[in-house]
């Protein structure tokens, strides 16, 4: 092992230009993967939060609807069954809720002038089936301008998450192939430079794996360096994003972002595994033809 590690570092230094290219290619690939993963996890977290609120349906009312009209609408909706609680929110109530969500930034709402928020009816139901039934029937009621039902948003987010995952897998698969090819070409240069030495080693009885050892370790070292760089860069970028928009996102969307420290701990494991695999595959692939193995 000492022989393999020593020779691996010597080979990296001799071909530092190509080794640097390999490290940058793998680092870029894993950073893209990490950012896709962070986006997917946050979308899934927000989706789960919405699922927990399936029992609430909010009906936004037209400006012409009075409190008496709203009470009549509530009475009609309650006849559909499954209603546990109903609340009428005035435009002022909606603005007060918005101010509370915005916290210290609530003064920005003063620039809006006239209150643009609609009054609404908030219905709490006892089952998802009741929510579906009420939503379908209430669409035909006069005076209701729009309906906010978390199930519809959750379904859209789920579809978006699935498309995002499929797209990210395609991009990552392409970049994995490119990274493996770059590592393989880097190690091929070393193989060619040491062709005579390897030929002598084979003549005196060295096994294929003994010859392959330093090159395999070289690929693994390149993969580990790349993975650590990618984790550091991704963690720094994501931490800055949370510092900039984390509180605002929590206030407006009522959902937290996945913590940066939690992501970093998991990304280290994932990235090192990917980096070592890329390095190993690249080194083995570059030696197969040369060793006829």
């Amino acid at each position: 092992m000492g022989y393999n590690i020593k020779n691996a570092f010597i080979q990296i230094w001799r071909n530092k230009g190509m080794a640097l290219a390999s490290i940058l290619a793998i680092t870029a690939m894993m950073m893209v993967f990490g950012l896709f993963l962070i986006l997917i996890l946050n979308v899934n977290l927000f989706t789960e939060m919405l699922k927990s609120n399936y029992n609430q349906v909010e009906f936004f009312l037209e400006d012409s609807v009075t409190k008496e009209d709203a009470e009549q609408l509530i009475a009609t909706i309650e006849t559909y069954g499954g209603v546990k609680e109903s609340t009428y929110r005035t435009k002022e109530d909606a603005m007060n809720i918005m101010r509370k969500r915005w916290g210290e930034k609530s003064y920005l709402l003063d620039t809006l002038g006239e209150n643009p928020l609609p009054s609404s009816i908030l219905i709490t139901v006892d089952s998802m089936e009741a929510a579906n039934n009420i939503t379908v029937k209430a669409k035909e009621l006069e005076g209701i301008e729009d309906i906010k039902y978390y199930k519809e948003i959750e379904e859209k987010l789920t579809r978006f998450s699935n498309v995002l995952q499929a797209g990210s897998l395609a991009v990552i698969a392409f970049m994995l192939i490119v990274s493996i090819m770059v590592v393989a070409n880097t190690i091929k240069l070393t193989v060619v430079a040491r062709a005579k030495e390897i030929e002598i080693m084979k003549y005196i009885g060295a096994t294929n794996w003994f010859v392959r050892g330093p090159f395999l370790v070289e690929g693994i070292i390149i993969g580990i360096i790349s993975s650590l760089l990618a984790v550091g860069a991704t963690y720094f970028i994501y931490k800055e994003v949370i510092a900039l928009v984390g509180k605002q996102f929590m206030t407006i969307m009522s959902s937290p972002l996945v913590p940066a420290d939690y992501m970093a701990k998991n990304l280290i494991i994932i990235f090192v595994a990917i980096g070592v695999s890329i390095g190993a595959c690249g080194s083995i692939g570059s030696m197969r033809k040369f060793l006829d193995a």
Side-chain angles (χ1 to χ4, degrees):
M1 182 56 69
Y3 166 81
N4 290 336
I5 294 174
K6 178 183 176 181
N7 278 275
F9 278 107
I10 291 173
Q11 291 164 184
I12 291 173
W13 180 252
R14 285 176 178 171
N15 296 288
K16 46 185 174 291
M18 284 298 295
L20 180 61
S22 299
I23 289 171
L24 292 177
I26 300 172
T27 300
M29 183 277 298
M30 285 195 284
M31 282 184 63
V32 171
F33 172 72
L35 294 175
F36 269 117
L37 182 62
I38 288 170
L39 180 58
I40 290 169
L41 288 177
N42 279 297
V43 169
N44 289 342
L45 178 63
F46 185 50
T47 303
E48 290 301 318
M49 184 279 297
L50 290 177
K51 285 181 179 179
S52 66
N53 292 324
Y54 77 89
N55 61 335
Q56 288 190 338
V57 183
E58 189 167 10
F59 301 91
F60 296 106
L61 307 177
E62 297 175 356
D63 290 337
S64 59
V65 175
T66 64
K67 183 177 180 181
E68 290 73 21
D69 295 333
E71 290 174 350
Q72 183 60 46
L73 285 170
I74 290 173
T76 302
I77 292 171
E78 287 178 344
T79 62
Y80 298 152
V83 177
K84 293 175 63 177
E85 186 180 354
S86 55
T87 305
Y88 172 64
R89 285 181 179 172
T90 64
K91 295 165 65 74
E92 291 72 25
D93 292 335
M95 179 57 72
N96 290 334
I97 292 172
M98 182 67 72
R99 288 184 181 278
K100 186 179 294 185
R101 286 183 176 178
W102 281 46
E104 297 178 355
K105 304 286 186 181
S106 61
Y107 69 90
L108 296 173
L109 297 172
D110 296 333
T111 61
L112 295 175
E114 185 180 350
N115 185 353
L117 301 177
S119 56
S120 63
I121 298 171
L122 186 65
I123 300 293
T124 303
V125 296
D126 55 15
S127 67
M128 187 173 289
E129 290 73 19
N132 291 332
N133 180 51
I134 290 172
T135 301
V136 171
K137 292 183 177 180
K139 287 179 179 178
E140 302 175 1
L141 296 177
E142 186 176 351
I144 293 179
E145 185 174 31
D146 194 15
I147 300 174
K148 184 172 75 173
Y149 180 28
Y150 289 112
K151 183 174 181 293
E152 295 178 357
I153 302 174
E154 179 264 319
E155 289 175 348
K156 291 179 181 178
L157 282 173
T158 300
R159 288 196 296 270
F160 173 71
S161 179
N162 292 336
V163 172
L164 187 64
Q165 289 180 41
S168 63
L169 284 175
V171 172
I172 297 305
F174 172 75
M175 297 190 73
L176 273 172
I177 295 171
V178 171
S179 299
I180 290 173
M181 291 176 63
V182 171
V183 173
N185 288 330
T186 300
I187 294 174
K188 276 181 182 178
L189 291 177
T190 308
V191 173
V192 172
R194 297 182 61 192
K196 291 294 184 182
E197 180 184 343
I198 293 172
E199 188 176 350
I200 293 171
M201 292 171 66
K202 291 285 291 180
Y203 277 134
I204 62 175
T207 63
N208 284 345
W209 277 106
F210 182 83
V211 175
R212 186 183 285 123
F215 301 100
L216 181 61
V217 174
E218 179 184 354
I220 291 173
I221 291 173
I222 289 173
I224 291 175
I225 294 173
S226 302
S227 62
L228 295 178
L229 288 174
V231 170
T234 305
Y235 173 75
F236 175 78
I237 294 171
Y238 185 51
K239 192 172 183 180
E240 289 299 311
V241 170
I242 290 179
L244 287 172
V245 302
K247 290 183 179 179
Q248 291 87 336
F249 188 85
M250 178 66 181
T251 300
I252 297 171
M253 307 303 293
S254 300
S255 176
L257 293 171
V258 178
D261 292 338
Y262 171 82
M263 287 299 308
K265 292 176 183 177
N266 289 277
L267 285 178
I268 288 175
I269 299 171
I270 297 170
F271 280 9
V272 169
I274 293 175
V276 169
S277 300
I278 290 173
C281 290
S283 62
I284 291 173
S286 66
M287 296 287 292
R288 285 183 64 86
K289 184 177 180 180
F290 187 84
L291 297 177
D292 293 324

